[in-house]
Amino acid sequence: RGVTSLRIDGPPTALAVAGDGSRVLVGAYDSIYLFDDGGGLLRRYRTSQVFSAAMSSEGAGVVGTYDAVYIFGKDGRLIWKNGTPLDTYASISMDGSLIAYGAEDRLYLVDRQGQLLWSYRVQSGYPKVYLFNVYISRDGNYIAAAESYSGSIYLFDREGSLLWRREIEGHPYSLSISSGGEYVAVGTVGDYSGVHLFDRAGALLLNYRTGKDVGSVSVSTSGDVAAGTYENYLYYFEGSGMKWRRPMGGAVYATISAGGVATASGDGRIYLLDGKGDLKGSYKTGLWRDYLSRIASSADGTLVAAGSHFSGNVYLLDTSKASFLSPISMALLDGLSWASLGLVVLVYGYRKRRE
């Protein structure tokens, strides 16, 4: 009850939920899918591999692929498509009026019809740099971007003025900007894996080394940061320090909403936690070992979407209706699962010896 399972062709590579929870946008290796909140397929477009997807409050969408950027209306109708030279990362403001995207070494801002407002080349000459992530704040006033070569993070205003550029240790992999552009969070991978947090003025507020690759970050308006790592931990930062850390059953992907923190984990579970780190509930996909590698939610957290890398399923959870496992039930279930597995092994060994 309250859970819908969707099947697409191949694993999801990008996932977005409309702010009001009315639409879900899913990207894959060769297609874009648009679903309603009940899991009904509204549109499918054939594309190259999808790298990013984002939605406005009412369900307008933008998708970045290997060779193009797409803008969709809330009815799923294709409004604009533009070819790009390489992997494209795109984001949309909550009212759907502004779209920011990066391709190769150039950042673009366009309106909802695809009309170019401005572009900015982050670096010219050699070595060639590539924008790896681009996010626009929900109010549309600020755009954050990360490039791969120097580890530089950029913040622009909506007029195209560069407010600041900062170089960090490690390779930027995940990026998030708060609703009003108050904060920019960065997750890095490689030898200097960790979490960085900047304020709007470019001051470094947090530089925390996790020791393992940070696959996702999400920052709130107040500057709280949720970060998921490939070492199976969820981190939560408040101000300049870590508030709590929780172990998960697999690699963690996290997002913050008004409802708290939602995570997708490599153990095939979706976890919901509050800002104190207390577990509110968990949903198991039903597959023995389903690797969830994408997570998105509506603004109020009532609709959570998670994508499986192994099964290709996308799960939609209405958190007001879904039946979740309590922390105690989860512990009992895990204990019984492992005990049952051990019993099977012991019985098999006993019977084998008798033979």
Side-chain angles (χ1 to χ4, degrees), residues 10-11 26 155 210 227 237 262 278-279 296 303 338 354:
V26 183
L155 184 68
T210 60
F237 301 91
D278 294 331
L279 185 64
L303 183 68
W338 284 109
R354 289 191 64 182

Side-chain angles (χ1 to χ4, degrees), residues 150-155 163-168 198 201-204:
S150 66
S152 293
I153 311 301
Y154 301 81
L155 184 68
L163 301 180
W164 50 261
R165 170 181 177 265
R166 300 288 184 268
E167 289 188 14
I168 59 175
F198 298 91
L204 180 63

Side-chain angles (χ1 to χ4, degrees), residues 246-268:
R246 298 289 182 268
M248 298 287 169
V252 181
Y253 305 84
T255 185
I256 293 178
S257 72
V261 183
T263 70
S265 177
D267 63 356

Side-chain angles (χ1 to χ4, degrees), residues 3 20 22 41 122 133 162 170 184 200 208 236 254 265 280 283 297 309 337:
V3 181
D20 62 5
S22 62
L41 179 63
V122 296
N133 259 314
L162 175 62
V184 176
R200 187 183 292 166
Y208 184 92
Y236 195 91
S265 177
K280 298 162 62 177
Y283 173 76
S297 75
H309 182 77
S337 297

Side-chain angles (χ1 to χ4, degrees), residues 287-322:
L287 301 179
W288 183 74
R289 187 66 175 176
D290 204 5
Y291 187 93
L292 299 181
S293 59
R294 294 290 182 271
I295 188 77
S297 75
S298 59
D300 63 2
T302 56
L303 183 68
V304 175
S308 169
H309 182 77
F310 286 165
S311 68
N313 290 341
V314 176
Y315 302 93
L316 306 184
L317 275 72
D318 182 337
T319 58
S320 66
K321 298 178 181 178

